[in-house]
């Protein structure tokens, strides 16, 4: 940690965060949840909101991929994704659903700004983001793909989207 100039857990908890929250909409895999925590830690985002049936820490299968990030990343559980986005919007967050949908915007065409408070919604591994959540979103963002498969694992999508939104903080 010292050689990599990384913060310890207590320093991280009190460090200034990037104004981004991740909302997991009915994500069922504990490994995907753990991976979301680990990725959220790496980008020092504000928090993760686990919604509906999304499993919550502590659990050994979440911890297996989180590698301790459940101790550094602030998180909460909401009964429904609808409640989570309503609270986020009230707190000034712009809601982006990450999904393949009619009128979606290609990720590379979205101009994220440092002053903008962002909430990214990632959906169920098979069903995606719920239709009512897509309708409530300020925008739907799609990761362009060139292959024969029509989706990415949520943990991969989360990493791509957070990098695109956060890379301005590395400049």
């Amino acid at each position: 940690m010292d050689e990599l100039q990384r913060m310890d857990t207590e320093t991280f908890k009190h460090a200034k965060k990037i104004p981004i929250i991740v909302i997991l909409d009915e994500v069922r895999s504990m490994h995907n949840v753990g991976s979301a925590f680990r990725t959220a830690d790496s980008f020092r985002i504000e928090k993760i909101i686990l919604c509906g049936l999304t499993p919550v820490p502590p659990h050994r299968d979440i911890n297996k991929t989180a590698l301790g990030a459940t101790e550094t990343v602030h998180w909460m559980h909401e009964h429904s994704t609808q409640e989570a986005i309503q609270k986020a919007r009230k707190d000034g967050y712009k809601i982006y659903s990450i999904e393949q949908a009619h009128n979606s915007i290609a990720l590379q065409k979205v101009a994220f700004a440092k002053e903008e408070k962002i909430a990214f919604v990632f959906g169920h591994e098979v069903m995606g983001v719920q239709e009512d959540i897509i309708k409530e979103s300020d925008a739907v963002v799609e990761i362009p793909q060139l292959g024969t498969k029509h989706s990415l694992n949520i943990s991969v999508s989360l990493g791509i989207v957070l990098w695109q939104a956060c890379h301005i903080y590395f400049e």
Side-chain angles (χ1 to χ4, degrees):
M1 295 293 274
D2 290 337
E3 287 179 24
L4 294 173
Q5 299 177 348
R6 301 282 194 230
M7 294 179 226
D8 61 38
T9 300
E10 279 310 306
T11 304
F12 183 93
K13 285 180 181 179
H14 297 93
K16 184 176 182 190
K17 307 296 189 285
I18 292 177
I20 293 176
I21 59 177
V22 167
I23 300 172
L24 298 183
D25 175 29
E26 305 285 342
V27 172
R28 64 180 182 191
S29 165
M30 290 192 213
H31 295 251
N32 284 336
V33 172
S35 185
F37 272 94
R38 191 167 165 188
T39 303
D41 175 283
S42 74
F43 288 105
R44 204 187 316 161
I45 68 164
E46 286 185 9
K47 68 181 166 185
I48 293 178
I49 305 173
L50 308 167
C51 301
L53 63 76
T54 305
V56 298
H59 192 282
R60 67 181 174 85
D61 287 340
I62 293 173
N63 295 343
K64 185 177 191 178
T65 50
L67 293 179
T70 57
E71 302 303 315
T72 56
V73 176
H74 177 68
W75 66 273
M76 59 188 299
H77 181 266
E78 286 290 346
H79 176 70
S80 74
T81 306
Q82 190 71 29
E83 291 171 15
I85 65 167
Q86 287 171 355
K87 289 178 182 178
R89 181 168 278 118
K90 183 180 171 198
D91 290 338
Y93 289 85
K94 187 169 182 179
I95 312 300
Y96 291 95
S97 284
I98 309 304
E99 188 58 79
Q100 297 171 339
H102 183 66
N103 292 326
S104 64
I105 304 165
L107 177 61
Q108 74 274 16
K109 294 185 179 182
V110 181
F112 299 108
K114 283 186 177 181
E115 338 42 75
E116 185 177 30
K117 293 171 77 173
I118 301 169
F120 290 119
V121 181
F122 294 87
H124 183 275
E125 291 88 344
V126 176
M127 306 305 291
V129 176
Q130 298 176 69
E131 188 64 34
D132 62 329
I133 302 304
I134 289 173
K135 289 177 183 175
E136 289 289 320
S137 300
D138 295 304
V140 179
V141 175
E142 182 173 344
I143 301 169
Q145 299 167 49
L146 301 172
T148 61
K149 301 303 171 201
H150 299 286
S151 66
L152 294 166
N153 181 280
I154 184 173
S155 64
V156 173
S157 296
L158 204 135
I160 292 168
V161 170
L162 287 182
W163 168 253
Q164 187 68 18
C166 294
H167 80 275
I168 55 178
Y169 291 90
F170 291 90
E171 298 172 345

